[in-house]
C-alpha cells in the first residue's frame, strides 16, 4: 500500500512540474490532470500485465505454470497477482488430488471381478469397466452415452428395468452366450444420486452349472440305487411269501447277490470320486512300475472277458520299455483299469483290444487302450467324463457299469498333470489314451 502512495505522490509531483512548466503559477490544475492521467496509465499497464499473466496461466499445459509471462510486482496489483497465484495453486492442487482419487476409484472398479456400469438419469451409459463390457458385449469407448435398453435386449432385463423394483437380481444370458457355451449373468440395479443408477453384473455360469450338476448327481444316484433296491425288495418279498423250489430259490438269490454287488460297486466308485476330490495332489516321491500296472490291468481284463463273453476277446498287451510313473499307485491303477474294463464291456465277443505303454519323443509317457467296439458318435465325446453319462444305458447296466468310470479317469488324470484324449468313430472302435508329463516318467535302465 505504501508503494502505491509513493507511486501516486511521484505522479502528482511529475504532473505538477509539467503543469508549472506549461502554465506557470496557474499550472496546478493541469498538473493534477496530468498526474491523474499518468496514474490511470500506470494502472492500465498493470491491469494489462495482470490479464496477460492470467491468460498465460490459463493456457499453460500444466495448471500453475507460466508460459513466458511474468506477474505484476509491487502495489495493489502485485498483491492481487500474488494472491491470485496462490489461489490458482491451491485450486490446482485440489484438482490434482481429486483427479488422483477419482483415478484410484475407477481403477478399483476396473479391477472388480463384477461388471460395473454407471447410468445417467435417462438410462444412458456414462462409464463401464472391462468386466461389464465382456459380460454384456459392450465396447467401453464406443457405447458411452448409449441407452442400456438398446444394448441389453433381453425381455427379462427390459421388464426389470421398467418395473422400478430393484430389490432383487434378474438372471439373463451373457452378451457372448452361445448354445454350445451358455453364459448366465446375475444383474442388479441400484439407484444413487439424483435419479442415477448403478448396474452390477456377476457371471454365475459356474454356480449354475454346479447347481445343475448337483441336481443331476442326486437324481442319478437316487435312480441308480433305487433300481437294485426295487429288485432286491421284490425278490425278498417273493422268497418270504411264495413256496419256491430249490432251483428257483437259487436263481433268485443269485440275482439278489448281483444287484447287491451292483450297489456295492456304485458306492465304492462314489467314495473313490469323493476321495479324489478331497485329497491333496500327489507328489513325485512315490514311483510305480508301469509293468506292474499293466500286468494287473491284464488280469482284470481277462477275468471280466471270461465272465461277459464265453468266446472271449482278443487281448493284446504291449508293456513297452520298462518305466516308472510318479504318483499314487491305487489312483493310477484305477484310471488304467477303468479304461481297459470299459473296452472289454463295450467290445463284442472275439473283438480286438490293444493295451500299450510307450515313451513319446518329448519325454512323456502314454498309456493307450484301443478297441474294435461300436464306436462313439462325436456329440457324445465331450460329455463322456461326466458322472453317470452313458451312451448306451442298457448296455452299461447289462455289463455292470456304474457310469462313474470315466469320471474317475478324468480326476486321476488331472491330479497327475496328465492329458486324457478320446478318439472314436461309430463302427470303427475307440482309442483312449493318457499322456503323462515327462516330469512323472522315468525309464528304467536294464542291467
Amino acid at each position: 500500500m505504501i508503494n502505491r502512495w509513493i507511486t501516486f505522490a511521484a505522479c502528482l509531483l511529475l504532473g505538477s512540474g509539467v503543469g508549472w512548466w506549461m502554465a506557470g503559477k496557474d499550472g496546478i490544475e493541469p498538473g493534477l490532470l496530468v498526474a491523474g492521467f499518468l496514474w490511470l496509465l500506470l494502472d492500465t499497464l498493470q491491469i494489462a500485465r495482470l490479464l496477460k499473466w492470467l491468460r498465460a496461466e490459463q493456457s499453460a499445459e500444466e495448471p500453475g505454470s507460466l508460459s513466458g509471462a511474468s506477474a505484476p510486482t509491487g502495489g495493489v496489483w502485485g498483491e492481487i497477482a500474488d494472491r491470485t497465484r496462490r489461489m490458482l495453486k491451491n485450486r490446482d492442487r485440489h484438482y490434482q488430488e481429486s483427479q488422483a482419487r477419482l483415478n484410484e476409484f475407477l481403477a478399483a472398479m476396473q479391477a472388480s471381478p463384477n461388471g460395473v456400469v454407471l447410468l445417467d438419469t435417462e438410462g444412458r451409459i456414462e462409464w463401464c469397466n472391462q468386466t461389464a463390457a465382456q459380460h454384456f458385449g459392450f465396447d467401453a469407448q464406443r457405447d458411452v452415452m448409449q441407452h442400456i435398453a438398446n444394448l441389453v435386449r433381453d425381455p427379462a432385463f427390459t421388464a426389470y428395468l421398467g418395473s422400478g423394483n430393484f430389490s432383487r437380481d434378474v438372471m439373463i444370458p451373457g452378451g457372448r452366450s452361445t448354445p454350445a457355451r451358455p453364459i448366465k449373468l446375475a444383474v442388479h440395479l441400484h439407484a444413487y444420486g439424483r435419479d442415477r443408477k448403478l448396474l452390477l453384473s456377476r457371471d454365475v455360469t459356474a454356480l449354475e452349472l454346479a447347481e445343475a450338476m448337483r441336481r443331476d448327481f442326486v437324481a442319478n444316484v437316487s435312480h441308480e440305487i433305487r433300481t437294485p433296491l426295487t429288485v432286491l425288495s421284490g425278490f425278498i418279498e417273493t422268497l418270504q411269501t411264495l413256496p419256491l423250489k430249490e432251483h428257483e430259490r437259487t436263481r433268485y438269490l443269485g440275482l439278489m447277490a448281483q444287484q447287491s454287488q451292483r450297489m456295492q460297486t456304485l458306492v465304492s466308485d462314489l467314495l473313490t470320486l469323493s476321495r479324489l476330490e478331497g485329497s491333496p495332489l500327489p507328489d513325485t516321491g512315490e514311483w510305480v512300475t508301469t509293468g506292474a500296472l499293466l500286468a494287473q490291468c491284464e488280469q482284470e481284463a481277462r477275468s471280466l472277458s471270461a465272465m461277459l463273453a464265453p468266446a472271449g476277446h482278443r487281448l493284446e498287451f504291449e508293456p513297452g520299455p520298462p518305466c516308472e510313473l510318479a504318483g499314487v499307485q491305487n489312483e493310477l491303477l484305477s484310471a488304467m483299469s477303468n479304461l481297459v474294463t470299459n473296452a472289454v464291456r463295450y467290445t463284442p465277443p472275439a473283438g480286438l483290444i490293444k493295451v500299450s505303454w510307450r515313451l513319446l519323443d518329448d519325454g512323456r509317457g502314454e498309456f493307450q487302450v484301443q478297441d474294435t467296439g461300436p464306436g462313439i458318435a462325436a456329440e457324445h465325446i465331450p460329455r463322456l467324463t461326466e458322472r453317470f453319462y452313458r451312451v448306451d444305458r442298457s448296455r452299461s447296466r447289462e455289463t455292470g457299469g456304474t457310469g462313474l468310470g470315466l469320471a474317475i479317469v478324468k480326476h486321476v488324470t488331472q491330479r497327475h498333470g496328465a492329458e486324457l484324449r478320446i478318439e472314436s468313430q461309430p463302427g470303427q472302435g475307440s482309442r483312449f489314451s493318457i499322456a503323462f508329463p515327462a516330469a512323472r516318467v522315468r525309464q528304467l535302465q536294464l542291467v
Side-chain angles (χ1 to χ4, degrees):
M1 193 67 182
I2 293 174
N3 292 335
R4 185 172 177 82
W5 280 112
I6 292 173
T7 303
F8 176 75
C11 290
L12 183 61
L13 290 174
L14 180 61
S16 298
V18 172
W20 186 273
W21 178 75
M22 293 177 61
K25 294 180 180 180
D26 298 330
I28 299 299
E29 292 182 1
L32 291 175
L33 291 174
V34 172
F37 175 76
L38 291 174
W39 174 264
L40 181 61
L41 179 63
L42 287 175
D43 267 5
T44 302
L45 292 175
Q46 290 283 66
I47 291 174
R49 189 176 177 186
L50 178 62
L51 287 174
K52 181 179 180 181
W53 177 75
L54 288 174
R55 288 166 182 160
E57 283 271 347
Q58 187 175 8
S59 62
E61 292 183 358
E62 296 182 359
S65 63
L66 297 180
S67 302
S70 58
T73 57
V76 173
W77 296 113
E79 184 178 355
I80 290 175
D82 183 62
R83 291 181 179 275
T84 303
R85 179 192 289 113
R86 280 183 284 178
M87 182 184 68
L88 289 174
K89 286 184 177 179
N90 289 334
R91 183 207 65 182
D92 295 338
R93 186 179 70 254
H94 291 315
Y95 170 79
Q96 291 171 359
E97 291 175 354
S98 299
Q99 190 66 34
R101 286 195 295 269
L102 176 61
N103 291 336
E104 290 177 358
F105 177 71
L106 293 178
M109 289 199 294
Q110 280 288 7
S112 172
N114 297 330
V116 181
V117 183
L118 302 181
L119 304 176
D120 66 7
T121 56
E122 301 296 326
R124 295 172 297 192
I125 299 173
E126 292 185 319
W127 182 88
C128 70
N129 64 358
Q130 288 298 325
T131 304
Q134 294 174 1
H135 284 175
F136 297 105
F138 293 163
D139 186 301
Q141 283 76 38
R142 183 193 63 204
D143 292 332
V144 170
M145 300 313 295
Q146 293 290 323
H147 199 284
I148 188 68
N150 295 334
L151 300 176
V152 183
R153 296 179 177 273
D154 184 77
F157 178 77
T158 303
Y160 176 69
L161 184 64
S163 68
N165 180 13
F166 308 138
S167 60
R168 58 180 179 84
D169 292 351
V170 62
M171 305 296 294
I172 65 172
R176 295 181 173 87
S177 181
T178 62
R181 188 178 180 273
I183 298 175
K184 282 287 185 181
L185 299 179
V187 175
H188 201 154
L189 277 168
H190 300 268
Y192 78 98
R194 295 183 178 179
D195 295 331
R196 282 179 160 78
K197 295 180 181 65
L198 173 68
L199 177 63
L200 299 178
S201 61
R202 291 183 298 119
D203 189 340
V204 294
T205 306
L207 295 176
E208 288 286 305
L209 181 60
E211 179 62 20
M213 290 179 63
R214 185 193 65 80
R215 291 194 300 266
D216 291 343
F217 177 73
V218 172
N220 284 323
V221 169
S222 302
H223 176 74
E224 294 293 334
I225 292 180
R226 186 188 301 117
T227 301
L229 280 177
T230 301
V231 174
L232 284 174
S233 299
F235 286 155
I236 291 173
E237 183 179 354
T238 300
L239 291 172
Q240 289 176 337
T241 58
L242 296 178
L244 300 173
K245 298 179 181 180
E246 186 61 28
H247 70 277
E248 293 176 331
R249 183 183 298 272
T250 302
R251 176 172 173 270
Y252 288 155
L253 289 174
L255 292 173
M256 291 171 64
Q258 181 182 355
Q259 296 300 323
S260 176
Q261 180 62 39
R262 178 181 171 187
M263 283 194 296
Q264 288 181 355
T265 303
L266 177 61
V267 171
S268 176
D269 284 350
L270 288 172
L271 291 175
T272 299
L273 272 177
S274 177
R275 185 174 63 253
L276 290 174
E277 292 175 346
S279 59
L281 296 177
D283 56 24
T284 56
E286 181 182 352
W287 293 86
V288 186
T289 61
T290 56
L293 293 172
L294 264 71
Q296 195 158 351
C297 287
E298 182 176 5
Q299 180 181 354
E300 293 180 6
R302 295 192 183 279
S303 299
L304 182 62
S305 176
M307 182 179 67
L308 295 178
H313 298 86
R314 291 180 292 155
L315 299 174
E316 295 181 3
F317 281 78
E318 300 175 3
C323 297
E324 287 184 324
L325 276 176
V328 181
Q329 180 176 1
N330 290 339
E331 294 183 15
L332 294 172
L333 179 61
S334 177
M336 294 179 176
S337 177
N338 269 300
L339 292 183
V340 174
T341 54
N342 274 351
V344 173
R345 285 191 176 97
Y346 289 99
T347 301
L352 176 62
I353 299 171
K354 289 184 177 181
V355 181
S356 63
W357 167 263
R358 62 172 181 152
L359 286 176
L360 303 178
D361 295 337
D362 56 4
R364 294 184 299 163
E366 183 183 66
F367 174 78
Q368 185 179 106
V369 180
Q370 185 172 359
D371 63 56
T372 58
I376 305 167
E379 63 268 20
H380 295 292
I381 291 179
R383 301 190 60 189
L384 286 179
T385 56
E386 295 180 13
R387 298 178 182 185
F388 298 109
Y389 186 83
R390 297 184 177 94
V391 177
D392 186 348
R393 291 183 174 272
S394 61
R395 174 66 176 169
S396 179
R397 291 196 180 96
E398 289 173 3
T399 57
T402 62
L404 297 173
L406 288 178
I408 293 174
V409 173
K410 181 189 72 172
H411 278 76
V412 173
T413 299
Q414 292 175 343
R415 284 169 52 79
H416 287 78
E419 178 188 2
L420 173 64
R421 291 195 296 266
I422 304 174
E423 303 171 34
S424 184
Q425 290 185 4
Q428 298 184 18
S430 305
R431 180 188 294 113
F432 292 78
S433 59
I434 304 176
F436 293 92
R440 288 187 174 271
V441 180
R442 68 184 182 190
Q443 188 171 2
L444 296 177
Q445 300 298 326
L446 297 177
V447 180

mmCIF file of all heavy atoms in Angstrom, residues 393-425:
data_model
loop_
_atom_site.group_PDB
_atom_site.id
_atom_site.type_symbol
_atom_site.label_atom_id
_atom_site.label_comp_id
_atom_site.label_asym_id
_atom_site.label_seq_id
_atom_site.Cartn_x
_atom_site.Cartn_y
_atom_site.Cartn_z
ATOM 1 N N ARG A 393 -27.327 -96.735 -22.107
ATOM 2 C CA ARG A 393 -27.604 -97.049 -20.705
ATOM 3 C C ARG A 393 -27.882 -98.536 -20.488
ATOM 4 O O ARG A 393 -27.406 -99.133 -19.531
ATOM 5 C CB ARG A 393 -28.795 -96.227 -20.208
ATOM 6 C CG ARG A 393 -28.492 -94.749 -20.080
ATOM 7 C CD ARG A 393 -29.670 -93.972 -19.517
ATOM 8 N NE ARG A 393 -29.300 -92.590 -19.264
ATOM 9 C CZ ARG A 393 -28.765 -92.154 -18.144
ATOM 10 N NH1 ARG A 393 -28.532 -93.011 -17.155
ATOM 11 N NH2 ARG A 393 -28.445 -90.886 -17.982
ATOM 12 N N SER A 394 -28.644 -99.119 -21.384
ATOM 13 C CA SER A 394 -28.993 -100.531 -21.187
ATOM 14 C C SER A 394 -27.757 -101.408 -21.271
ATOM 15 O O SER A 394 -27.576 -102.339 -20.484
ATOM 16 C CB SER A 394 -30.030 -100.953 -22.226
ATOM 17 O OG SER A 394 -29.502 -100.805 -23.537
ATOM 18 N N ARG A 395 -26.855 -101.125 -22.222
ATOM 19 C CA ARG A 395 -25.635 -101.909 -22.384
ATOM 20 C C ARG A 395 -24.750 -101.788 -21.149
ATOM 21 O O ARG A 395 -24.171 -102.759 -20.676
ATOM 22 C CB ARG A 395 -24.883 -101.417 -23.628
ATOM 23 C CG ARG A 395 -23.514 -102.049 -23.834
ATOM 24 C CD ARG A 395 -23.593 -103.519 -24.123
ATOM 25 N NE ARG A 395 -22.291 -104.086 -24.416
ATOM 26 C CZ ARG A 395 -22.029 -105.386 -24.496
ATOM 27 N NH1 ARG A 395 -23.006 -106.252 -24.297
ATOM 28 N NH2 ARG A 395 -20.813 -105.809 -24.764
ATOM 29 N N SER A 396 -24.670 -100.559 -20.570
ATOM 30 C CA SER A 396 -23.826 -100.349 -19.402
ATOM 31 C C SER A 396 -24.332 -101.138 -18.213
ATOM 32 O O SER A 396 -23.559 -101.740 -17.473
ATOM 33 C CB SER A 396 -23.767 -98.855 -19.060
ATOM 34 O OG SER A 396 -22.969 -98.633 -17.929
ATOM 35 N N ARG A 397 -25.647 -101.168 -18.001
ATOM 36 C CA ARG A 397 -26.186 -101.902 -16.859
ATOM 37 C C ARG A 397 -26.012 -103.407 -17.041
ATOM 38 O O ARG A 397 -25.754 -104.142 -16.094
ATOM 39 C CB ARG A 397 -27.665 -101.554 -16.676
ATOM 40 C CG ARG A 397 -27.894 -100.119 -16.211
ATOM 41 C CD ARG A 397 -29.306 -99.941 -15.681
ATOM 42 N NE ARG A 397 -29.514 -98.574 -15.253
ATOM 43 C CZ ARG A 397 -30.076 -97.632 -15.990
ATOM 44 N NH1 ARG A 397 -30.499 -97.938 -17.205
ATOM 45 N NH2 ARG A 397 -30.242 -96.410 -15.540
ATOM 46 N N GLU A 398 -26.168 -103.878 -18.271
ATOM 47 C CA GLU A 398 -26.015 -105.312 -18.520
ATOM 48 C C GLU A 398 -24.612 -105.790 -18.184
ATOM 49 O O GLU A 398 -24.419 -106.909 -17.718
ATOM 50 C CB GLU A 398 -26.323 -105.616 -19.994
ATOM 51 C CG GLU A 398 -27.800 -105.485 -20.354
ATOM 52 C CD GLU A 398 -28.008 -105.638 -21.848
ATOM 53 O OE1 GLU A 398 -27.008 -105.902 -22.559
ATOM 54 O OE2 GLU A 398 -29.153 -105.493 -22.314
ATOM 55 N N THR A 399 -23.614 -104.929 -18.419
ATOM 56 C CA THR A 399 -22.223 -105.344 -18.203
ATOM 57 C C THR A 399 -21.686 -104.913 -16.846
ATOM 58 O O THR A 399 -20.506 -105.095 -16.563
ATOM 59 C CB THR A 399 -21.333 -104.757 -19.302
ATOM 60 O OG1 THR A 399 -21.482 -103.324 -19.313
ATOM 61 C CG2 THR A 399 -21.725 -105.307 -20.659
ATOM 62 N N GLY A 400 -22.540 -104.307 -16.010
ATOM 63 C CA GLY A 400 -22.114 -103.965 -14.654
ATOM 64 C C GLY A 400 -21.462 -102.612 -14.509
ATOM 65 O O GLY A 400 -20.833 -102.337 -13.490
ATOM 66 N N GLY A 401 -21.593 -101.743 -15.491
ATOM 67 C CA GLY A 401 -21.001 -100.412 -15.385
ATOM 68 C C GLY A 401 -21.812 -99.501 -14.483
ATOM 69 O O GLY A 401 -23.032 -99.623 -14.384
ATOM 70 N N THR A 402 -21.123 -98.563 -13.815
ATOM 71 C CA THR A 402 -21.813 -97.624 -12.920
ATOM 72 C C THR A 402 -21.978 -96.248 -13.539
ATOM 73 O O THR A 402 -22.712 -95.413 -12.996
ATOM 74 C CB THR A 402 -21.027 -97.466 -11.605
ATOM 75 O OG1 THR A 402 -19.738 -96.909 -11.896
ATOM 76 C CG2 THR A 402 -20.868 -98.797 -10.902
ATOM 77 N N GLY A 403 -21.310 -95.976 -14.647
ATOM 78 C CA GLY A 403 -21.369 -94.645 -15.234
ATOM 79 C C GLY A 403 -20.417 -93.662 -14.585
ATOM 80 O O GLY A 403 -20.467 -92.466 -14.871
ATOM 81 N N LEU A 404 -19.536 -94.141 -13.694
ATOM 82 C CA LEU A 404 -18.595 -93.267 -12.990
ATOM 83 C C LEU A 404 -17.147 -93.514 -13.395
ATOM 84 O O LEU A 404 -16.251 -92.788 -12.961
ATOM 85 C CB LEU A 404 -18.729 -93.451 -11.475
ATOM 86 C CG LEU A 404 -20.089 -93.078 -10.874
ATOM 87 C CD1 LEU A 404 -20.138 -93.481 -9.406
ATOM 88 C CD2 LEU A 404 -20.337 -91.583 -11.022
ATOM 89 N N GLY A 405 -16.900 -94.543 -14.206
ATOM 90 C CA GLY A 405 -15.530 -94.930 -14.527
ATOM 91 C C GLY A 405 -14.732 -93.832 -15.187
ATOM 92 O O GLY A 405 -13.605 -93.514 -14.762
ATOM 93 N N LEU A 406 -15.275 -93.210 -16.233
ATOM 94 C CA LEU A 406 -14.527 -92.171 -16.939
ATOM 95 C C LEU A 406 -14.424 -90.890 -16.115
ATOM 96 O O LEU A 406 -13.468 -90.117 -16.294
ATOM 97 C CB LEU A 406 -15.173 -91.873 -18.291
ATOM 98 C CG LEU A 406 -14.992 -92.973 -19.344
ATOM 99 C CD1 LEU A 406 -15.699 -92.605 -20.637
ATOM 100 C CD2 LEU A 406 -13.507 -93.222 -19.620
ATOM 101 N N ALA A 407 -15.373 -90.650 -15.224
ATOM 102 C CA ALA A 407 -15.238 -89.517 -14.307
ATOM 103 C C ALA A 407 -14.042 -89.729 -13.380
ATOM 104 O O ALA A 407 -13.286 -88.790 -13.091
ATOM 105 C CB ALA A 407 -16.520 -89.325 -13.499
ATOM 106 N N ILE A 408 -13.860 -90.952 -12.918
ATOM 107 C CA ILE A 408 -12.694 -91.278 -12.088
ATOM 108 C C ILE A 408 -11.411 -91.111 -12.892
ATOM 109 O O ILE A 408 -10.416 -90.551 -12.418
ATOM 110 C CB ILE A 408 -12.823 -92.709 -11.533
ATOM 111 C CG1 ILE A 408 -13.985 -92.787 -10.538
ATOM 112 C CG2 ILE A 408 -11.524 -93.158 -10.882
ATOM 113 C CD1 ILE A 408 -14.279 -94.193 -10.052
ATOM 114 N N VAL A 409 -11.420 -91.587 -14.149
ATOM 115 C CA VAL A 409 -10.244 -91.448 -15.016
ATOM 116 C C VAL A 409 -9.883 -89.974 -15.189
ATOM 117 O O VAL A 409 -8.705 -89.584 -15.106
ATOM 118 C CB VAL A 409 -10.503 -92.107 -16.387
ATOM 119 C CG1 VAL A 409 -9.346 -91.811 -17.336
ATOM 120 C CG2 VAL A 409 -10.693 -93.606 -16.237
ATOM 121 N N LYS A 410 -10.888 -89.122 -15.413
ATOM 122 C CA LYS A 410 -10.622 -87.690 -15.609
ATOM 123 C C LYS A 410 -9.988 -87.071 -14.372
ATOM 124 O O LYS A 410 -9.006 -86.325 -14.466
ATOM 125 C CB LYS A 410 -11.933 -86.966 -15.924
ATOM 126 C CG LYS A 410 -11.745 -85.468 -16.166
ATOM 127 C CD LYS A 410 -13.067 -84.741 -16.263
ATOM 128 C CE LYS A 410 -13.735 -84.650 -14.894
ATOM 129 N NZ LYS A 410 -14.950 -83.783 -14.928
ATOM 130 N N HIS A 411 -10.506 -87.399 -13.177
ATOM 131 C CA HIS A 411 -9.963 -86.818 -11.957
ATOM 132 C C HIS A 411 -8.532 -87.299 -11.706
ATOM 133 O O HIS A 411 -7.663 -86.495 -11.337
ATOM 134 C CB HIS A 411 -10.853 -87.187 -10.767
ATOM 135 C CG HIS A 411 -12.054 -86.302 -10.626
ATOM 136 N ND1 HIS A 411 -13.154 -86.414 -11.433
ATOM 137 C CD2 HIS A 411 -12.313 -85.277 -9.783
ATOM 138 C CE1 HIS A 411 -14.053 -85.512 -11.085
ATOM 139 N NE2 HIS A 411 -13.561 -84.800 -10.082
ATOM 140 N N VAL A 412 -8.271 -88.578 -11.899
ATOM 141 C CA VAL A 412 -6.915 -89.087 -11.696
ATOM 142 C C VAL A 412 -5.953 -88.434 -12.688
ATOM 143 O O VAL A 412 -4.826 -88.043 -12.338
ATOM 144 C CB VAL A 412 -6.888 -90.621 -11.838
ATOM 145 C CG1 VAL A 412 -5.450 -91.142 -11.811
ATOM 146 C CG2 VAL A 412 -7.700 -91.272 -10.725
ATOM 147 N N THR A 413 -6.401 -88.301 -13.926
ATOM 148 C CA THR A 413 -5.561 -87.689 -14.958
ATOM 149 C C THR A 413 -5.205 -86.249 -14.584
ATOM 150 O O THR A 413 -4.040 -85.841 -14.656
ATOM 151 C CB THR A 413 -6.302 -87.709 -16.307
ATOM 152 O OG1 THR A 413 -6.570 -89.069 -16.670
ATOM 153 C CG2 THR A 413 -5.462 -87.070 -17.397
ATOM 154 N N GLN A 414 -6.190 -85.487 -14.179
ATOM 155 C CA GLN A 414 -5.937 -84.094 -13.810
ATOM 156 C C GLN A 414 -5.033 -83.995 -12.588
ATOM 157 O O GLN A 414 -4.154 -83.125 -12.533
ATOM 158 C CB GLN A 414 -7.269 -83.383 -13.537
ATOM 159 C CG GLN A 414 -8.129 -83.191 -14.787
ATOM 160 C CD GLN A 414 -9.482 -82.590 -14.464
ATOM 161 O OE1 GLN A 414 -9.925 -82.590 -13.318
ATOM 162 N NE2 GLN A 414 -10.163 -82.095 -15.486
ATOM 163 N N ARG A 415 -5.239 -84.859 -11.616
ATOM 164 C CA ARG A 415 -4.424 -84.806 -10.398
ATOM 165 C C ARG A 415 -2.960 -85.114 -10.684
ATOM 166 O O ARG A 415 -2.073 -84.649 -9.959
ATOM 167 C CB ARG A 415 -4.965 -85.797 -9.367
ATOM 168 C CG ARG A 415 -6.233 -85.322 -8.682
ATOM 169 C CD ARG A 415 -6.886 -86.436 -7.875
ATOM 170 N NE ARG A 415 -5.968 -87.086 -6.959
ATOM 171 C CZ ARG A 415 -5.592 -86.598 -5.782
ATOM 172 N NH1 ARG A 415 -6.049 -85.415 -5.393
ATOM 173 N NH2 ARG A 415 -4.766 -87.264 -5.001
ATOM 174 N N HIS A 416 -2.677 -85.885 -11.720
ATOM 175 C CA HIS A 416 -1.291 -86.239 -12.053
ATOM 176 C C HIS A 416 -0.736 -85.382 -13.183
ATOM 177 O O HIS A 416 0.325 -85.693 -13.739
ATOM 178 C CB HIS A 416 -1.203 -87.730 -12.429
ATOM 179 C CG HIS A 416 -1.340 -88.650 -11.248
ATOM 180 N ND1 HIS A 416 -2.549 -88.940 -10.679
ATOM 181 C CD2 HIS A 416 -0.415 -89.322 -10.529
ATOM 182 C CE1 HIS A 416 -2.382 -89.766 -9.656
ATOM 183 N NE2 HIS A 416 -1.088 -90.016 -9.539
ATOM 184 N N GLY A 417 -1.449 -84.309 -13.517
ATOM 185 C CA GLY A 417 -0.960 -83.404 -14.551
ATOM 186 C C GLY A 417 -0.926 -84.022 -15.935
ATOM 187 O O GLY A 417 -0.178 -83.553 -16.806
ATOM 188 N N ALA A 418 -1.704 -85.058 -16.158
ATOM 189 C CA ALA A 418 -1.700 -85.766 -17.439
ATOM 190 C C ALA A 418 -2.840 -85.268 -18.329
ATOM 191 O O ALA A 418 -3.645 -84.420 -17.932
ATOM 192 C CB ALA A 418 -1.825 -87.271 -17.215
ATOM 193 N N GLU A 419 -2.892 -85.796 -19.518
ATOM 194 C CA GLU A 419 -3.900 -85.394 -20.506
ATOM 195 C C GLU A 419 -4.645 -86.617 -21.015
ATOM 196 O O GLU A 419 -4.031 -87.588 -21.455
ATOM 197 C CB GLU A 419 -3.221 -84.673 -21.680
ATOM 198 C CG GLU A 419 -4.179 -84.256 -22.783
ATOM 199 C CD GLU A 419 -3.470 -83.712 -24.008
ATOM 200 O OE1 GLU A 419 -2.216 -83.693 -24.005
ATOM 201 O OE2 GLU A 419 -4.160 -83.332 -24.977
ATOM 202 N N LEU A 420 -5.973 -86.567 -20.933
ATOM 203 C CA LEU A 420 -6.823 -87.651 -21.421
ATOM 204 C C LEU A 420 -7.310 -87.293 -22.817
ATOM 205 O O LEU A 420 -7.899 -86.226 -23.026
ATOM 206 C CB LEU A 420 -8.013 -87.853 -20.479
ATOM 207 C CG LEU A 420 -9.081 -88.850 -20.936
ATOM 208 C CD1 LEU A 420 -8.499 -90.258 -21.038
ATOM 209 C CD2 LEU A 420 -10.282 -88.821 -20.000
ATOM 210 N N ARG A 421 -7.083 -88.198 -23.772
ATOM 211 C CA ARG A 421 -7.544 -87.985 -25.147
ATOM 212 C C ARG A 421 -8.479 -89.129 -25.551
ATOM 213 O O ARG A 421 -8.214 -90.296 -25.243
ATOM 214 C CB ARG A 421 -6.358 -87.908 -26.108
ATOM 215 C CG ARG A 421 -5.495 -86.669 -25.938
ATOM 216 C CD ARG A 421 -4.576 -86.482 -27.140
ATOM 217 N NE ARG A 421 -3.622 -87.573 -27.251
ATOM 218 C CZ ARG A 421 -2.400 -87.546 -26.736
ATOM 219 N NH1 ARG A 421 -1.991 -86.495 -26.057
ATOM 220 N NH2 ARG A 421 -1.578 -88.571 -26.880
ATOM 221 N N ILE A 422 -9.553 -88.769 -26.239
ATOM 222 C CA ILE A 422 -10.550 -89.747 -26.679
ATOM 223 C C ILE A 422 -10.759 -89.570 -28.179
ATOM 224 O O ILE A 422 -11.077 -88.472 -28.643
ATOM 225 C CB ILE A 422 -11.885 -89.568 -25.939
ATOM 226 C CG1 ILE A 422 -11.676 -89.645 -24.429
ATOM 227 C CG2 ILE A 422 -12.892 -90.624 -26.402
ATOM 228 C CD1 ILE A 422 -12.920 -89.331 -23.626
ATOM 229 N N GLU A 423 -10.563 -90.651 -28.932
ATOM 230 C CA GLU A 423 -10.790 -90.635 -30.379
ATOM 231 C C GLU A 423 -11.708 -91.809 -30.713
ATOM 232 O O GLU A 423 -11.452 -92.939 -30.296
ATOM 233 C CB GLU A 423 -9.469 -90.782 -31.137
ATOM 234 C CG GLU A 423 -8.435 -89.715 -30.793
ATOM 235 C CD GLU A 423 -7.087 -90.035 -31.398
ATOM 236 O OE1 GLU A 423 -7.051 -90.616 -32.501
ATOM 237 O OE2 GLU A 423 -6.065 -89.720 -30.757
ATOM 238 N N SER A 424 -12.766 -91.520 -31.441
ATOM 239 C CA SER A 424 -13.713 -92.595 -31.759
ATOM 240 C C SER A 424 -14.582 -92.198 -32.936
ATOM 241 O O SER A 424 -14.864 -91.011 -33.148
ATOM 242 C CB SER A 424 -14.595 -92.904 -30.544
ATOM 243 O OG SER A 424 -15.433 -94.000 -30.809
ATOM 244 N N GLN A 425 -14.996 -93.208 -33.688
ATOM 245 C CA GLN A 425 -15.963 -93.040 -34.767
ATOM 246 C C GLN A 425 -16.914 -94.222 -34.752
ATOM 247 O O GLN A 425 -16.492 -95.360 -34.497
ATOM 248 C CB GLN A 425 -15.259 -92.972 -36.125
ATOM 249 C CG GLN A 425 -14.453 -91.696 -36.343
ATOM 250 C CD GLN A 425 -13.871 -91.625 -37.741
ATOM 251 O OE1 GLN A 425 -14.122 -92.490 -38.574
ATOM 252 N NE2 GLN A 425 -13.096 -90.590 -37.997
#
